[in-house]
Amino acid sequence: DAGITQSPRHKVTETGTPVTLRCHQTENHRYMYWYRQDPGHGLRLIHYSYGVKDTDKGEVSDGYSVSRSKTEDFLLTLESATSSQTSVYFCASKQEPSRAQHFGDGTRLSIL
Amino acid sequence: AQSVTQLGSHVSVSEGALVLLRCNYSSSVPPYLFWYVQYPNQGLQLLLKYTTGATLVKGINGFEAEFKKSETSFHLTKPSAHMSDAAEYFCAVIDNYGQNFVFGPGTRLSVLP
């Protein structure tokens, strides 16, 4: 399996504070993804990256920003966290040519 | 736009019984199809994938799936359920641009003793 590490694994914070989640992969995959998982909604794409400094929006990008300064690292930032952003966040990278995505273990984020 | 439907948000089977989890998709391009499994408090793990070639795909843990183009289906099966198969299962299809996934809503599998 691709080595994908997410940090932190759990975080509790307050409304209005900035939050940054980190994703690190060791497989040199070009594509990386951030999803959120909520009951009844499955996984929804927030942002993705197709290379260093190349990112694009997904289905639920409002309130989130991303950055990718190195191939191995993909950061997700909530500029001003809201309670609606309480969720489990997953990072993934895509293997070529199979196009299979490999996932990290997730970050459980609670915003009070 | 692509979509993925998984019939049954919750499926229960007895240990040793056949497992059948249904997945139907819509896609305007030849599909790449995937099944993932998620155990509690873990990320998604790839079970199997269909890209091209043989329509019956074998995956890990004794699971297999058959791509049926005429039915736009990619159902997941396992001949004999084990207690350790209890988890949530997600079907996914590659989108029209060939880069991103569209996930189904998931099916939670319970295995009864």
Side-chain angles (χ1 to χ4, degrees), chain A residues 1 9 31 33 35 37 41-43 45 48 90 94 96-106 108, chain B residues 32 34 36 38 41-46 49 51 88 90 94-95 97-101 103-106:
Chain A
D1 264 351
R9 292 294 315 279
Y31 278 78
Y33 303 85
Y35 295 91
Q37 184 177 32
H41 292 277
L43 278 88
L45 181 64
Y48 67 99
F90 288 99
K94 185 174 68 172
E96 296 289 359
S98 73
R99 307 192 191 188
Q101 292 187 19
H102 299 275
F103 287 79
D105 286 335
R108 186 172 297 274
Chain B
Y32 285 57
F34 304 82
Y36 283 83
Q38 184 181 31
N41 299 315
Q42 293 186 23
L44 279 69
Q45 179 182 0
L46 181 66
K49 61 183 183 288
T51 54
E88 187 143 22
F90 293 93
I94 288 281
D95 71 7
Y97 301 99
Q99 302 305 343
N100 298 338
F101 276 13
F103 281 93

Side-chain angles (χ1 to χ4, degrees), chain B:
Chain B
Q2 293 89 339
S3 64
V4 177
T5 304
Q6 292 184 240
L7 185 62
S9 59
H10 187 200
V11 171
S12 292
V13 300
S14 298
E15 191 173 20
L18 172 72
V19 175
L20 171 60
L21 304 182
R22 299 179 186 274
C23 173
N24 289 87
Y25 67 92
S26 68
S27 176
S28 59
V29 299
Y32 285 57
L33 296 157
F34 304 82
W35 274 101
Y36 283 83
V37 61
Q38 184 181 31
Y39 300 102
N41 299 315
Q42 293 186 23
L44 279 69
Q45 179 182 0
L46 181 66
L47 270 179
L48 49 79
K49 61 183 183 288
Y50 169 79
T51 54
T52 59
T55 56
L56 181 62
V57 180
K58 295 187 183 299
I60 62 172
N61 301 339
F63 284 93
E64 62 183 35
E66 187 172 11
F67 168 57
K68 293 186 176 180
K69 184 178 180 180
S70 61
E71 299 177 6
T72 60
S73 69
F74 191 56
H75 301 330
L76 182 70
T77 60
K78 182 174 181 177
S80 177
H82 191 271
M83 298 295 289
S84 61
D85 295 326
E88 187 143 22
Y89 292 80
F90 293 93
C91 182
V93 63
I94 288 281
D95 71 7
N96 283 343
Y97 301 99
Q99 302 305 343
N100 298 338
F101 276 13
V102 176
F103 281 93
T107 297
R108 181 168 301 279
L109 175 67
S110 296
V111 182
L112 308 175

Side-chain angles (χ1 to χ4, degrees), chain A residues 1 5 7 13 17 19 26 34 44 46 55 62 69 83 98 106:
Chain A
D1 264 351
T5 305
S7 61
T13 191
T17 61
V19 177
T26 60
W34 276 107
R44 293 181 290 176
I46 305 172
T55 65
D62 287 349
S69 59
S83 59
S98 73

Side-chain angles (χ1 to χ4, degrees), chain A residues 40-91:
Chain A
H41 292 277
L43 278 88
R44 293 181 290 176
L45 181 64
I46 305 172
H47 281 281
Y48 67 99
S49 169
Y50 47 96
V52 173
K53 299 191 188 303
D54 293 322
T55 65
D56 206 348
K57 297 178 179 180
E59 176 188 359
V60 291
S61 60
D62 287 349
Y64 302 95
S65 63
V66 291
S67 65
R68 190 158 178 212
S69 59
K70 297 185 290 185
T71 298
E72 57 266 35
D73 294 323
F74 193 30
L75 305 183
L76 177 70
T77 297
L78 291 65
E79 299 291 348
S80 178
T82 68
S83 59
S84 65
Q85 294 175 311
T86 292
S87 186
V88 181
Y89 291 85
F90 288 99
C91 175

